[in-house]
Amino acid sequence: MNIHVLEMPLDFGGNRHGSDMGPSAIRLAGLKERLSQLSDSAITYSTPMDIHPSEYEEAGDPKAKYLKAITKACCALAGETEVIIRSGGFPLILGGDHSIALGSLAGIAAAHRTDGKRIGVLYVDAHGDFNTIETSPTGNIHGMCMAASCGLGASQLTNLYYPGIKINSNNVCYVGLRSIDKEERILMKQAGVTAFTMSDIDRIGFPAILKQVTTFFRSHADVIHVSFDMDVIDPMFAPGVGIPLPGGLNYREALLLMEEISQTGMVGSAEFVEVNPVLDVRSQTARMAVELAARLLGDRIY
């Protein structure tokens, strides 16, 4: 397997800046060295993004802030991602904020338009990211990326890279939700996504959730994209994130989730987003992102 690491230093999607330094923080935390220990796979690095820092861009429409800059960057990412998948490679995308999912999912969908494969998305996040410009309380696009990928929202987002729906919402599975807006919740239920909240984990236990997650993908997908927002993890273990919220996954649960989904043999791409080194403590969150990527790509304790 050829692993292509794509760095996307984009932080236009949210209010709190600093996640643009996330890709370099993950790289400096030893990603290449860690992945090199797993196999003899070729590992390449690139960044498809050529864009000004957010401080030099105009936010524009308050209902969809930095729309032009985000769509430009995500279209570039989509193109790179499509090429990598069509060549048989594994795109490992480092954010940046979660708005980059617009590009990764568009590229993945484009790559599989002709082979008939069903794309499943494991969305590991404290938030639903299922708002539209009509429902978003902030206008931040990182909170709209999943809805737009499923065909809901502004046409500039739903038609990014190529026209039409990128992901069938029935093939989306969330793990770790604990902060969802009222109208966003309605949209998610209407769309038919599968969601496992932190309350579900508390109620029935993490092993039972893992079993349901893997069973879901075996029946709903042929290939899986893992979209992992580091804020799904409790700030005790991952303090350096865009929106830290107490009550998240612990260190072992996060690693085990990556191990279990890896063992399905269906993962074809992944992204790790929202590492904010400005808020991190001794690179704790960046190092955890490295470990999570390693487990997803086949590392085991024994």
Side-chain angles (χ1 to χ4, degrees), residues 3 30-43:
I3 301 169
L31 179 67
K32 182 178 181 181
E33 294 78 7
R34 191 73 177 84
L35 297 183
S36 297
Q37 296 170 4
L38 302 180
S39 68
D40 295 327
S41 299
I43 302 172

Side-chain angles (χ1 to χ4, degrees), residues 25-301:
I26 298 171
R27 172 167 30 88
L28 293 171
L31 179 67
K32 182 178 181 181
E33 294 78 7
R34 191 73 177 84
L35 297 183
S36 297
Q37 296 170 4
L38 302 180
S39 68
D40 295 327
S41 299
I43 302 172
T44 60
Y45 273 79
S46 65
T47 176
M49 187 175 148
D50 180 18
I51 202 164
H52 294 143
S54 58
E55 291 80 7
Y56 294 92
E57 294 281 353
E58 293 295 328
D61 186 351
K63 291 185 177 181
K65 298 172 185 174
Y66 299 104
L67 177 64
K68 183 177 179 180
I70 289 172
T71 53
K72 176 184 176 182
C74 286
C75 279
L77 173 60
E80 291 275 350
T81 303
E82 180 181 7
V83 169
I84 291 168
I85 292 176
R86 287 189 180 276
S87 67
F90 186 103
L92 177 59
I93 304 159
L94 309 179
D97 67 59
H98 219 156
S99 63
I100 69 168
L102 288 161
S104 57
L105 291 172
I108 293 160
H112 290 296
R113 275 188 294 180
T114 57
D115 63 17
K117 288 185 177 180
R118 297 170 300 166
I119 304 166
V121 178
L122 174 61
Y123 209 80
V124 191
D125 199 332
H127 307 88
D129 295 348
F130 219 85
N131 275 301
T132 66
I133 58 172
E134 288 80 20
T135 68
S136 173
T138 64
N140 292 331
I141 290 177
H142 73 169
M144 306 179 193
C145 52
M146 200 64 242
S149 297
C150 293
L152 302 174
S155 60
Q156 299 97 318
L157 300 179
T158 59
N159 294 322
L160 186 136
Y161 194 54
Y162 71 88
I165 295 172
K166 310 304 188 294
I167 300 296
N168 184 337
S169 56
N170 291 321
N171 299 338
V172 176
C173 180
Y174 286 86
V175 174
L177 291 169
R178 60 188 186 279
S179 178
I180 308 172
D181 298 317
K182 182 178 179 180
E183 292 183 77
E184 179 184 31
R185 183 185 298 112
I186 295 171
L187 287 178
M188 292 173 72
K189 290 185 175 182
Q190 291 174 341
V193 302
T194 294
F196 297 104
T197 68
M198 289 307 302
S199 294
D200 295 322
I201 293 171
D202 292 339
R203 188 175 297 114
I204 67 174
F206 201 58
I209 296 293
L210 289 175
K211 185 174 181 180
Q212 292 187 51
V213 169
T214 54
T215 299
F216 171 87
F217 283 115
R218 289 192 172 99
S219 62
H220 284 76
D222 301 303
V223 61
I224 300 169
H225 172 69
V226 175
S227 189
F228 198 109
D229 189 319
M230 295 298 291
D231 73 16
V232 76
I233 303 168
D234 193 280
M236 180 185 301
F237 307 100
V241 297
I243 308 177
L245 289 172
L249 297 179
N250 64 36
Y251 188 82
R252 279 300 315 153
E253 288 169 339
L255 291 175
L256 183 58
L257 176 59
M258 293 298 93
E259 291 177 7
E260 290 294 305
I261 203 67
S262 173
Q263 289 183 6
T264 65
M266 299 167 63
V267 180
S269 54
E271 63 199 348
F272 292 88
V273 304
E274 298 286 1
V275 171
N276 189 329
V278 175
L279 304 173
D280 210 358
V281 178
R282 295 186 295 275
S283 299
Q284 182 177 339
T285 309
R287 286 187 281 108
M288 188 168 189
V290 170
E291 285 303 310
L292 290 166
R295 297 300 171 90
L296 182 64
L297 289 165
D299 188 31
R300 297 293 177 270
I301 294 174

